[in-house]
């Protein structure tokens, strides 16, 4: 694993040890650290992809393509630009207010709400970006895992119902 936070690396090492896993952990910036090719699996979690600028995303995908072993896999989790909550907030709120509303609705401190770049977060745009970087997309699954609005009574239930509805095959394009 790689992270620029020593605390996160310590946490990941402890988790790996508890699970009896052998994992190499590197302290550093994945956009800057040089890694040797031959990595079987690269995973990006915690919405890091949407926090990167378009040029940083391009660099990341190129680096992943360089370090993956033949047949290697890259798994990335990132919010979908067509998620109903993301769409609604972009239509209703000026960009400067979205962080403040997100902090309130999600029940998080403002310092933990980061700028996002949803321009590349559709099936088509992600696939095209990956292909330009020399990656082949084997599978792309779009899903909503939990309501964003968990801190607002009633809104979380409404959003949860919407997520459930969007799992219907006929509504697949709206996810």
């Amino acid at each position: 694993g790689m992270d620029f936070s020593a605390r996160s690396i310590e946490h990941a090492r402890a988790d790996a040890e508890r699970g009896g896993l052998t994992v190499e952990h590197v302290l550093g910036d994945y956009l800057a650290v040089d890694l040797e090719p031959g990595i079987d699996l690269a995973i990006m979690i915690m919405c890091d992809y949407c926090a990167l600028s378009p040029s940083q995303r391009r660099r990341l995908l190129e680096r992943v393509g360089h370090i993956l072993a033949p047949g290697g896999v890259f798994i990335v989790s990132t919010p979908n630009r067509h998620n109903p909550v993301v769409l609604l907030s972009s239509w209703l709120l000026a960009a400067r207010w979205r962080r403040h509303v997100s902090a309130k609705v999600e029940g998080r401190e403002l310092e933990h709400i980061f700028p996002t770049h949803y321009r590349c977060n559709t099936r088509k745009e992600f696939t095209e970006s990956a292909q330009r970087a020399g990656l082949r997309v084997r599978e792309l699954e779009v899903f909503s895992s939990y309501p964003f609005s968990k801190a607002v009574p009633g809104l979380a239930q409404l959003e949860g119902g919407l997520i459930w509805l969007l799992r219907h095959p006929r509504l697949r394009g709206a996810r």
Side-chain angles (χ1 to χ4, degrees), residues 10-31:
E10 289 172 21
H11 180 76
R13 283 182 176 144
D15 277 354
E17 190 175 306
R18 275 193 299 279
L21 302 172
T22 304
V23 179
E24 180 183 351
H25 294 92
V26 178
L27 181 64
D29 177 356
Y30 50 72
L31 293 173

Side-chain angles (χ1 to χ4, degrees), residues 55-165:
S55 63
Q56 289 173 318
R57 285 193 301 265
R58 188 172 33 260
R59 171 123 171 90
L60 170 80
L61 291 174
E62 289 168 354
R63 289 176 62 78
V64 167
H66 173 74
I67 65 167
L68 282 179
V73 174
F74 176 48
I75 298 172
V76 61
S77 173
T78 184
N80 175 11
R81 183 172 72 182
H82 294 147
N83 177 293
V85 173
V86 172
L87 279 176
L88 189 61
S89 69
S90 68
W91 292 337
L92 296 178
L93 298 170
R96 65 184 178 161
W97 291 106
R98 285 187 210 137
R99 272 185 75 231
H100 297 281
V101 171
S102 291
K104 193 71 163 167
V105 168
E106 296 175 27
R108 297 192 289 161
E109 297 295 322
L110 191 59
E111 65 198 36
H112 297 291
I113 304 291
F114 50 88
T116 55
H117 305 276
Y118 288 112
R119 294 179 292 276
C120 255
N121 295 37
T122 65
R123 292 172 193 267
K124 181 179 185 237
E125 290 164 320
F126 185 84
T127 299
E128 289 173 355
S129 296
Q131 289 171 340
R132 277 193 302 274
L135 297 170
R136 182 177 62 87
V137 176
R138 282 197 305 211
E139 182 178 338
L140 181 61
E141 181 179 343
V142 178
F143 67 95
S144 293
S145 58
Y146 65 91
F148 287 103
S149 54
K150 58 186 176 251
V152 178
L155 193 54
Q157 288 78 6
L158 180 64
E159 187 181 350
L162 182 59
I163 289 168
W164 180 81
L165 270 174

